[in-house]
């Protein structure tokens, strides 16, 4: 049997937060349903942040309540603090991702806290979630783990310190985010090894951007280090409003093509995934859409993992 790699689609959150216009809620719900119908196992559908800061996320509670009705898909929401976590729980989210910027500059710009203060906030979130009757997973996301457009170089020791703090806070998992897309494959390997040495298998995923054109190369480096969970965005949407210069996420369509071609099973139907771009384009007609596989077309040589070649 093929080894499984989990792909989490973050377009409805990370992708839309940088869009120049706001996707209508009904269109967003249809888009998310189409992504789920393509077999994507996890979808980050929004973030519980003040609408005045990111108006594109104002309908997140409504979207979560709608999305959790979709069968066979884990619904994820970003929650930067305890109040956001409580709102996500009330809406029915299966998992929350709580960001902790490793770099001081991004942490203050994004959350108005130091990294240490945000780790303490994560501990409060975990304690509250564990006291609730319904289970909700908590992921600690180490933002700017591979470089920062405000502070520049981010030392590996700082990433390990934040990741270790998150593990001590009791999160279910830790992810490493190349928030601004400055990382390179050797760096990905070095940081993954260092963090895994500190916190073990609690390190699960990578969130990669393609600013320097190295997104898929970095994903491959992560694969080689044993990472089996990746965030990506349909059509390569995305960026961070508090990280100048950050461009879109790695393209989900291209990532799935690479993984399946290499023999990793994602459970995703690539044709259905590409078809979901039509809903995205209808909801945001002025937004540029990226991706080499959708542009070139799925080649006849493509045989998804687990299916025999003709």
């Amino acid at each position: 049997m093929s080894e499984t790699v989990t792909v989490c689609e973050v377009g409805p959150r990370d992708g839309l937060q940088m869009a120049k216009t706001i996707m209508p809620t009904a269109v967003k719900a249809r888009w998310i349903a189409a992504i789920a119908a393509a077999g994507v196992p996890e979808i980050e559908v929004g973030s519980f942040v003040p609408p005045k800061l990111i108006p594109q996320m104002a309908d997140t509670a409504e979207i979560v309540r709608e999305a959790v009705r979709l069968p066979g898909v884990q619904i994820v929401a970003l929650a930067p603090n305890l109040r956001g976590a409580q709102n996500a729980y009330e809406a029915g989210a299966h998992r929350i991702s709580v960001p902790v910027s490793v770099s001081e500059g991004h942490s203050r710009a994004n959350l108005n806290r130091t990294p240490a203060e945000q780790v303490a906030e994560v501990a409060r979130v975990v304690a509250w979630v564990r006291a609730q009757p319904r289970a909700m997973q908590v992921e600690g996301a180490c933002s700017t783990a591979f470089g920062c457009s405000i502070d520049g170089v981010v030392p590996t020791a700082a990433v390990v310190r934040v990741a270790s703090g998150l593990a001590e806070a009791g999160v279910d998992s830790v992810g490493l985010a190349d928030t601004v897309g400055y990382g390179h494959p050797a760096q990905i390997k070095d940081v993954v090894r260092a963090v895994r040495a500190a916190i073990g298998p609690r390190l699960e995923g990578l969130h990669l951007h393609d600013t320097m054109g190295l997104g898929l190369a970095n994903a491959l480096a992560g694969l080689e280090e044993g990472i089996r969970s990746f965030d990506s965005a349909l059509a390569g949407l995305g960026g961070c409003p508090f990280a100048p210069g950050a461009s879109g996420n790695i393209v989900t369509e291209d990532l799935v093509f690479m993984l399946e071609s290499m023999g990793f099973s994602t459970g995703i139907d690539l044709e259905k995934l590409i078809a979901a771009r039509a809903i995205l384009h209808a909801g945001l007609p002025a937004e540029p859409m990226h991706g080499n596989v959708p542009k070139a077309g799925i080649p006849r040589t493509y045989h998804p993992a687990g299916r025999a070649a003709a």
Side-chain angles (χ1 to χ4, degrees), residues 69 75 79 118 138 167 179 183 193-194 209 221 223 229 245 267 272 298:
R69 298 164 56 189
I75 299 303
Q118 181 63 1
V138 180
T179 308
R193 289 172 186 168
H209 285 242
L223 277 171
S229 179
K272 290 183 179 179
I298 302 173

Side-chain angles (χ1 to χ4, degrees), residues 40-58:
V40 176
E42 300 179 1
I43 307 174
E44 190 175 71
V45 300
S47 58
F48 287 91
V49 294
K52 65 180 180 180
L53 295 179
I54 305 180
Q56 296 91 335
M57 297 291 105

Side-chain angles (χ1 to χ4, degrees), residues 6 9 70 114 168 181 266-267 285:
T6 299
E9 170 61 45
L70 297 169
T114 66
E168 292 170 6
T266 64

Side-chain angles (χ1 to χ4, degrees), residues 59-69 75 87 90-93:
D59 59 357
T60 294
E62 182 179 353
I63 287 293
V64 169
R65 285 193 291 267
E66 181 75 17
V68 294
R69 298 164 56 189
I75 299 303
N87 291 338
E90 182 180 353

Side-chain angles (χ1 to χ4, degrees), residues 10 13 60 75 78 120 128-129 154 158 165 175 181 193 227 246 268-269 310:
V10 300
R13 195 280 299 176
T60 294
I75 299 303
L78 183 142
W128 184 86
V129 169
V154 175
R193 289 172 186 168
I227 295 295
I268 297 172
D269 185 314

